[in-house]
Amino acid sequence: MKKTIKSLKFPVIFLLLVCAFIACDKDYSVIESDVLGDENSDFNTKDSLWSVTAYNKKLDSLQINNLGTTSSAATASNLLGVFNDPAYGLTTASIVSQLVPVENSPEFGENPVVDSVVLNIPYFSTVVDYDEDNNPEYELDSLFGDDTKPIKLTIYRNNYFLRDFDPSQAENNKQNYYSNGSNTVNAALNGTSVIKFDDHIDNLNSPIYSEASFIPSKDVVITTVGEGDNEVSTNSSPAFRVKLDEDYWKTTIIDMEGDPVLASANNFKNYFRGLYFKAESITSEGSMILLNIAASNANITIYYTSGADGSRLQYNYIMNFSGNILNTFVNNYNITLQNGDKTLGDDNLYLKGTEGSMAVVELFSGKVDCDGDGVLDLDAIDCFKQRYRQLDDNGNYIKDPLTNRYELKKLINEAQLVLTEADNLPNGGDEDYHKYDRIYAYSIENNAPTLDYTIDPTTNTTDPLNSKVINLGQRNDDGVFKIRLTQHLNNILYTDSIAAETPRKIGLVLSNNVNYIDNAEILDSGDEVLAVPRASILAPRGTILYGSSQSVMDDEKRLQLKIFSSEAKN
């Protein structure tokens, strides 16, 4: 018997994968019994709606250090700029980053002279065409807002030490930093105090760099350093690339040769505590860009010559953006975000990135009339199990002793969480503004993807917009999203528990990269939502969905849990 089961294992898995591919459709087709004619079918098929309660969770005090550094699906990245979401209002994102030299205890040689100092941080970009000389033309992948509206950008030397370990913890736990976006200043929390970065600048009137009218450019960057025989030109893809003051960096770095501050990364980080990129709005509009700040070519490079007269050579000293890197957010929303009604649910669900809001959906919530006598007398989750599981003569669920799984009398063909965007959702005059929104759904109980996400074969590592489209359905032209939860619900029916709890709470966030599923901790959350996907912090856009409240008068637009099932005919 055991050998037979083993032999069937792989064909069954293959069949399931084939079915998954067949179902790879934005609207999830369901094969009804009338394909062969109802009289020729041995199964009855039907669909049903099940109770859900969906409510808002206001997000604040989110972990904002080292965003994107621990997942192979995402390169370390941070937001910089000003973004005005048509529905929510203005968000300003600034960056604080440490620098780490490539070389310790450098020797700069005889009579070093700084030729130039270049700061370079790549943008995320894609080649879209080539000009007549076969030079690539680029588009910026992660530019939000109006790319013609400038912002004010100022870079300061940060004097606040970003420590690596949390001294309040008994063990050597890493120090996390958390958002404080409800304030009107660039600030972060370290768990015990508020850090206002403007207060840790020697002189706000003496920045390292300042641009009164900054706009990210998609042009190829051509940079020339040195003079005469030492002149070198380099071409690079679109990047934030500027020249800095030579005298400042000669005094700060070159003249410190032999000093212990250049002897190790730790010494250097304590001496030069990093840079503070401060973004400010000029008008009510602006643009925000995702910087690839931990790329191998994201750095400050000091180009210098040294040596005796007549035999001077060109050298460079490189400081990479590394160590602690964090975002700060200043939010001026025109919508008041708050925690929702966990009992009755909310009329609207607010999904807003950076430090905004998410939704929690409790599946099979409340009591229902399971036996049809007109009385709400049974918990919905228990009714769900009774409808789908096999019962013995004593009314107990039958469990297969070999697999330790409950036996089912009805099969779930498809389970969908159906979400609809609110009517007249502001789009700033751009009819395609919400067209490419993606919603990421995850299990709140274990802060992990659903099983449907895990087995979804449509992963696309190079194009997140078209990745995981079976589990996380793409928005259709009517503003409808369908989140597939078939295997998630099957797991409830078959096993009854994950981590000793029935996993019935689903978190919904807006995401620019559904491949990136690492979590960011919430400081002192106050409820069961202890973390959020980091990708949602890097998504400045927002959307508004209809909730589950009975106040949503249109039943078709109210959030729905729809199950398509099959049952053998008697």
Side-chain angles (χ1 to χ4, degrees):
M1 180 68 178
K2 290 183 180 180
K3 290 182 179 180
T4 302
I5 291 173
K6 285 183 179 180
S7 67
L8 290 174
K9 177 179 179 181
F10 293 105
V12 169
I13 292 174
F14 176 76
L15 180 60
L16 289 173
L17 287 175
V18 170
C19 291
F21 277 108
I22 291 173
C24 183
D25 184 293
K26 291 180 182 179
D27 292 323
Y28 304 136
S29 299
V30 178
I31 302 175
E32 299 288 357
S33 60
D34 60 1
V35 172
L36 299 176
D38 187 65
E39 68 279 3
N40 296 319
S41 173
D42 293 328
F43 295 90
N44 289 321
T45 62
K46 61 181 297 185
D47 63 85
S48 57
L49 297 178
W50 289 83
S51 62
V52 292
T53 300
Y55 54 89
N56 292 291
K57 163 71 176 177
K58 183 179 182 297
L59 297 175
D60 50 30
S61 303
L62 308 179
Q63 183 186 337
I64 51 174
N65 58 305
N66 302 327
L67 295 173
T69 57
T70 59
S71 173
S72 60
T75 306
S77 48
N78 290 82
L79 292 168
L80 179 68
V82 177
F83 177 67
N84 186 18
D85 185 276
Y88 289 86
L90 210 64
T91 293
T92 302
S94 299
I95 299 173
V96 181
S97 175
Q98 290 179 320
L99 290 166
V100 176
V102 171
E103 178 185 2
N104 293 326
S105 300
E107 295 181 0
F108 298 114
E110 181 181 352
N111 189 28
V113 176
V114 175
D115 295 328
S116 64
V117 182
V118 178
L119 183 156
N120 184 80
I121 305 176
Y123 301 134
F124 291 94
S125 59
T126 301
V127 176
V128 294
D129 203 353
Y130 291 87
D131 63 19
E132 58 186 12
D133 297 321
N134 204 35
N135 296 313
E137 296 179 351
Y138 291 87
E139 286 293 339
L140 300 181
D141 295 336
S142 300
L143 178 66
F144 305 93
D146 190 334
D147 60 3
T148 67
K149 302 295 184 182
I151 65 168
K152 180 181 178 182
L153 177 61
T154 314
I155 304 176
Y156 298 99
R157 179 174 177 174
N158 168 48
N159 286 321
Y160 180 85
F161 180 64
L162 297 171
R163 61 196 180 210
D164 294 327
F165 298 99
D166 187 349
S168 67
Q169 300 294 323
E171 300 179 0
N172 289 331
N173 290 345
K174 288 186 177 181
Q175 174 68 63
N176 285 329
Y177 296 89
Y178 304 89
S179 61
N180 192 38
S182 58
N183 288 344
T184 57
V185 297
N186 286 306
L189 306 171
N190 62 12
T192 57
S193 60
V194 179
I195 310 158
K196 297 180 180 180
F197 289 103
D198 281 1
D199 294 345
H200 296 277
I201 304 301
D202 286 336
N203 187 346
L204 289 171
N205 295 319
S206 299
I208 289 175
Y209 173 83
S210 182
E211 174 58 63
S213 185
F214 170 74
I215 295 177
S217 173
K218 63 183 179 182
D219 296 335
V220 174
V221 178
I222 302 175
T223 303
T224 301
V225 298
E227 297 179 354
D229 294 338
N230 291 320
E231 184 176 285
V232 177
S233 294
T234 59
N235 295 356
S236 65
S237 58
F240 173 53
R241 188 174 177 91
V242 295
K243 288 190 174 183
L244 304 178
D245 181 71
E246 294 94 345
D247 292 337
Y248 174 84
W249 291 96
K250 183 178 186 303
T251 301
T252 304
I253 301 297
I254 302 296
D255 292 349
M256 300 302 291
E257 179 182 354
D259 193 290
V261 298
L262 302 185
S264 69
N266 286 335
N267 288 359
F268 185 89
K269 286 191 290 186
N270 190 41
Y271 162 62
F272 194 93
R273 298 185 172 185
L275 296 181
Y276 166 30
F277 296 75
K278 183 178 181 180
E280 297 175 85
S281 60
I282 298 175
T283 65
S284 60
E285 299 293 333
S287 60
M288 185 176 289
I289 189 74
L290 195 64
L291 296 179
N292 190 359
I293 198 167
S296 58
N297 60 337
N299 54 50
I300 293 178
T301 302
I302 302 174
Y303 296 91
Y304 68 95
T305 59
S306 66
D309 292 342
S311 61
R312 297 180 67 80
L313 297 176
Q314 180 81 47
Y315 300 95
N316 58 52
Y317 179 81
I318 300 173
M319 295 164 285
N320 289 328
F321 290 95
S322 186
N324 278 300
I325 306 173
L326 58 88
N327 258 127
T328 66
F329 302 111
V330 175
N331 297 319
N332 294 299
Y333 292 149
N334 49 39
I335 291 178
T336 301
L337 300 177
Q338 56 190 358
N339 292 326
D341 190 327
K342 295 183 179 182
T343 303
L344 300 177
D346 291 334
D347 297 349
N348 291 306
L349 303 177
Y350 298 95
L351 307 189
K352 176 66 173 72
T354 61
E355 189 187 46
S357 179
M358 64 174 288
V360 178
V361 181
E362 183 179 352
L363 309 176
F364 307 108
S365 59
K367 293 186 178 298
V368 295
D369 175 16
C370 198
D371 55 10
D373 64 358
V375 179
L376 305 179
D377 54 2
L378 189 64
D379 288 340
I381 184 63
D382 293 327
C383 180
F384 172 62
K385 294 172 184 177
Q386 285 187 15
R387 292 275 181 89
Y388 282 81
R389 287 178 181 170
Q390 289 278 14
L391 297 173
D392 62 19
D393 294 338
N394 297 320
N396 297 318
Y397 298 131
I398 301 174
K399 182 178 283 190
D400 187 321
L402 185 63
T403 63
N404 202 34
R405 290 156 64 95
Y406 290 102
E407 295 183 4
L408 304 184
K409 59 185 176 183
K410 295 174 65 174
L411 299 177
I412 296 178
N413 301 331
E414 186 75 43
Q416 305 169 355
L417 199 60
V418 184
L419 311 162
T420 305
E421 283 183 335
D423 292 333
N424 302 317
L425 182 63
N427 60 17
D430 180 4
E431 62 181 13
D432 291 333
Y433 179 78
H434 292 285
K435 182 176 181 179
Y436 302 109
D437 288 346
R438 294 299 304 276
I439 294 177
Y440 173 66
Y442 70 105
S443 174
I444 293 290
E445 278 86 353
N446 52 19
N447 287 319
T450 65
L451 183 57
D452 294 84
Y453 179 99
T454 303
I455 66 173
D456 190 333
T458 64
T459 301
N460 188 326
T461 58
T462 60
D463 183 13
L465 177 65
N466 293 303
S467 187
K468 299 294 185 181
V469 295
I470 295 178
N471 169 229
L472 307 174
Q474 295 169 312
R475 177 188 184 276
N476 70 15
D477 292 338
D478 296 321
V480 175
F481 300 84
K482 294 180 180 180
I483 307 298
R484 187 177 191 267
L485 296 176
T486 307
Q487 299 307 321
H488 185 77
L489 298 194
N490 274 331
N491 210 39
I492 293 176
L493 290 175
Y494 281 123
T495 66
D496 208 25
S497 73
I498 290 180
E501 291 186 26
T502 301
R504 291 193 289 131
K505 291 188 177 179
I506 300 295
L508 303 177
V509 297
L510 213 61
S511 174
N512 295 328
N513 185 355
V514 297
N515 294 326
Y516 181 27
I517 59 175
D518 287 358
N519 293 316
E521 178 186 341
I522 301 177
L523 179 65
D524 300 329
S525 169
D527 61 21
E528 71 276 7
V529 184
L530 303 178
V532 295
R534 293 187 184 187
S536 68
I537 301 176
L538 296 174
R541 296 157 65 92
T543 191
I544 303 173
L545 308 171
Y546 285 108
S548 63
S549 167
Q550 294 302 308
S551 298
V552 180
M553 302 305 296
D554 190 334
D555 292 344
E556 291 299 317
K557 293 181 178 180
R558 187 184 302 130
L559 188 150
Q560 297 178 343
L561 174 60
K562 183 177 290 188
I563 299 178
F564 299 88
S565 59
S566 296
E567 185 176 15
K569 290 182 178 178
N570 294 326

